[in-house]
Amino acid sequence: MWFEAKVPSNIAFLKYWGKRDAALQWPANDSLSMTLDGLATVTKVKVLSDHNLKSKGEHKFFFAGEEKYRDDPEGAKVFKFLDGLAQRFDFRGCLEIHTKNQFPTGCGIASSASGFGALTIAAIAAWTKSESLAELEQNGFSLSSLAQLARMGSGSACRSFWGGYVRWEAGENADLQRCQQALPSEHWALTDTVVLFSEAKKARSSSQAHLDAWSSPLFKVRLVELRSRLEAMHQALESRDMDRLGPLLETEALEMHAVMMSARPATYFFDHETADFLVWFREQRAKGLFKAYFTIDAGPNVHVIAEPGEQQAFLRCFSKDFSKYRYLSDCVGSGPQLGFSN
Ligand code: PMV
């Protein structure tokens, strides 16, 4: 029997950047994100009844149809993550796993959040024979506990377990961190248009760059500032106030990149195109052509956040001036799904 999870990616409005403890995946600060809808990973898993982990059996893992192994750069993190789950819960069966992203691969969209989210749900559903999220909960795996497990694969994955707008709070110690929905998707139908400038692999992985954050002279100042920024953002979302939310989104993204650029070693994720686009974008907005705001993750691509009518206005201008670049259009979504088939 196959267990299939679909878990969307999420875009951080207030970024998780820097860790207090890398081994425990304890973030330096609270973060707030919007769960996406169509940009998702679908992962299908079954237990291989004739292979047992205890008798040195091995999982079979396929990414976009291609088998990946324990020693592959793409496979290593997945096998290590599955080893951690099997050890902790004494799961014995080897798994066959097929995973694919519902967005073009290598397009510069961070797929680790949706990827580890879908792997966590589908693998544990297969091991515990849970046919729905409700059954997973009855078997001891609530969304909160699954989110905590997924976080060990990729920190931002824990925010993909709820739809709408989600807060991940760092807490007083690593065990007290928690993630929860701040507002449901129906509260405010925001859109995310991802403008793709580069499909190249990142020069420096975000896990490495996270660790460098503390060496930036700006980082400690940022952490103090973030408490009030988080509350201001939450209030802007609550009151659906784009005039307040938008500038906070942009300050936040630019500040995270300023930390990256002023760290030792420095990491530059912006391309020429990123910088050109931002200049154009601000000029067009100042002319009153659309009301949209940007955020940027650990990469050169830009996420444009807007209400649906304003997304259309933005796309009209974009298609005129930047027609050679691809974009992906998405919106706030309602969170993970789990199903099964024979
Ligand atoms: O979850 P990670 O280790 O891939 O880090 C995510 C970092 C950012 O995407 C830049 C910000 C965030 O909060 O998602």
Side-chain angles (χ1 to χ4, degrees), residues 219-250:
F219 191 55
K220 287 196 177 132
V221 184
R222 163 173 165 78
L223 292 181
V224 175
E225 179 76 13
L226 282 185
R227 290 189 200 127
S228 54
R229 189 176 299 155
L230 178 65
E231 290 323 313
M233 243 188 212
H234 193 126
Q235 281 168 21
L237 278 172
E238 225 163 21
S239 51
R240 300 186 201 90
D241 185 344
M242 203 54 170
D243 292 324
R244 277 178 73 204
L245 179 67
L248 290 168
L249 286 177
E250 297 189 351

Side-chain angles (χ1 to χ4, degrees), residues 127-143:
W127 270 321
T128 60
K129 301 200 178 350
S130 307
E131 295 175 4
S132 64
L133 292 173
E135 232 177 87
L136 261 178
E137 175 146 20
Q138 282 158 20
N139 288 330
F141 293 94
S142 63
L143 279 185

Side-chain angles (χ1 to χ4, degrees), residues 228-277:
S228 54
R229 189 176 299 155
L230 178 65
E231 290 323 313
M233 243 188 212
H234 193 126
Q235 281 168 21
L237 278 172
E238 225 163 21
S239 51
R240 300 186 201 90
D241 185 344
M242 203 54 170
D243 292 324
R244 277 178 73 204
L245 179 67
L248 290 168
L249 286 177
E250 297 189 351
T251 303
E252 175 56 15
L254 294 174
E255 188 179 281
M256 179 183 73
H257 281 269
V259 167
M260 294 165 167
M261 291 179 197
S262 56
R264 295 287 168 268
T267 304
Y268 291 83
F269 283 117
F270 281 27
D271 279 347
H272 294 291
E273 292 84 356
T274 316
D276 287 350
F277 173 82

Side-chain angles (χ1 to χ4, degrees), residues 10-17 19 25 31-33 77 110 112-113 153-157 159 168 202 206-207 210 256 260 296-299:
N10 67 78
I11 176 68
F13 286 0
L14 197 130
K15 311 289 183 185
Y16 146 52
W17 195 247
K19 308 184 194 217
Q25 284 283 64
S31 55
L32 174 66
S33 57
K77 260 187 115 175
S112 59
S154 161
S156 55
R159 296 188 311 241
W168 174 17
K202 293 175 195 170
S206 59
S207 351
H210 265 294
M256 179 183 73
M260 294 165 167
I296 309 174
D297 258 0

Side-chain angles (χ1 to χ4, degrees), residues 24-256:
L24 299 174
Q25 284 283 64
W26 185 24
N29 61 275
D30 297 357
S31 55
L32 174 66
S33 57
M34 175 169 94
T35 298
L36 297 173
D37 186 41
L39 298 178
T41 300
V42 177
T43 299
K44 208 166 92 167
V45 176
K46 75 171 177 190
V47 177
L48 296 166
S49 48
D50 47 345
H51 292 64
N52 195 299
L53 287 169
K54 299 279 167 188
S55 49
K56 298 222 179 324
E58 185 61 295
H59 306 296
K60 287 179 87 55
F61 171 55
F62 298 84
F63 178 71
E66 202 177 307
E67 186 157 11
K68 304 282 174 198
Y69 302 92
R70 197 172 270 278
D71 308 335
D72 295 342
E74 303 99 326
K77 260 187 115 175
V78 167
F79 280 87
K80 187 166 165 235
F81 180 73
L82 292 170
D83 290 347
L85 291 180
Q87 211 169 25
R88 180 157 171 192
F89 299 105
D90 201 23
F91 294 136
R92 291 163 185 231
C94 293
L95 304 178
E96 180 171 337
I97 302 160
H98 293 259
T99 191
K100 58 178 190 292
N101 293 328
Q102 289 192 323
F103 43 88
T105 39
C107 70
I109 302 291
S111 53
S112 59
S114 54
F116 277 100
L119 180 65
T120 306
I121 294 184
I124 296 183
W127 270 321
T128 60
K129 301 200 178 350
S130 307
E131 295 175 4
S132 64
L133 292 173
E135 232 177 87
L136 261 178
E137 175 146 20
Q138 282 158 20
N139 288 330
F141 293 94
S142 63
L143 279 185
S144 298
S145 64
L146 292 165
Q148 295 297 344
L149 296 170
R151 170 173 69 68
M152 299 311 287
S154 161
S156 55
C158 68
R159 296 188 311 241
S160 279
F161 282 74
W162 292 269
Y165 303 89
V166 180
R167 254 172 106 138
W168 174 17
E169 289 168 356
E172 289 300 304
N173 65 53
D175 294 333
L176 292 179
Q177 53 184 306
R178 62 183 187 152
C179 202
Q180 60 191 332
Q181 186 180 64
L183 291 160
S185 54
E186 311 80 60
H187 174 76
W188 197 8
L190 289 180
T191 65
D192 179 8
T193 310
V194 194
V195 182
L196 302 170
F197 296 120
S198 168
E199 313 199 358
K201 207 170 173 311
K202 293 175 195 170
R204 193 164 171 76
S205 81
S206 59
S207 351
Q208 286 167 319
H210 265 294
L211 303 179
D212 306 330
W214 294 98
S215 67
S216 159
L218 307 178
F219 191 55
K220 287 196 177 132
V221 184
R222 163 173 165 78
L223 292 181
V224 175
E225 179 76 13
L226 282 185
R227 290 189 200 127
S228 54
R229 189 176 299 155
L230 178 65
E231 290 323 313
M233 243 188 212
H234 193 126
Q235 281 168 21
L237 278 172
E238 225 163 21
S239 51
R240 300 186 201 90
D241 185 344
M242 203 54 170
D243 292 324
R244 277 178 73 204
L245 179 67
L248 290 168
L249 286 177
E250 297 189 351
T251 303
E252 175 56 15
L254 294 174
E255 188 179 281
M256 179 183 73

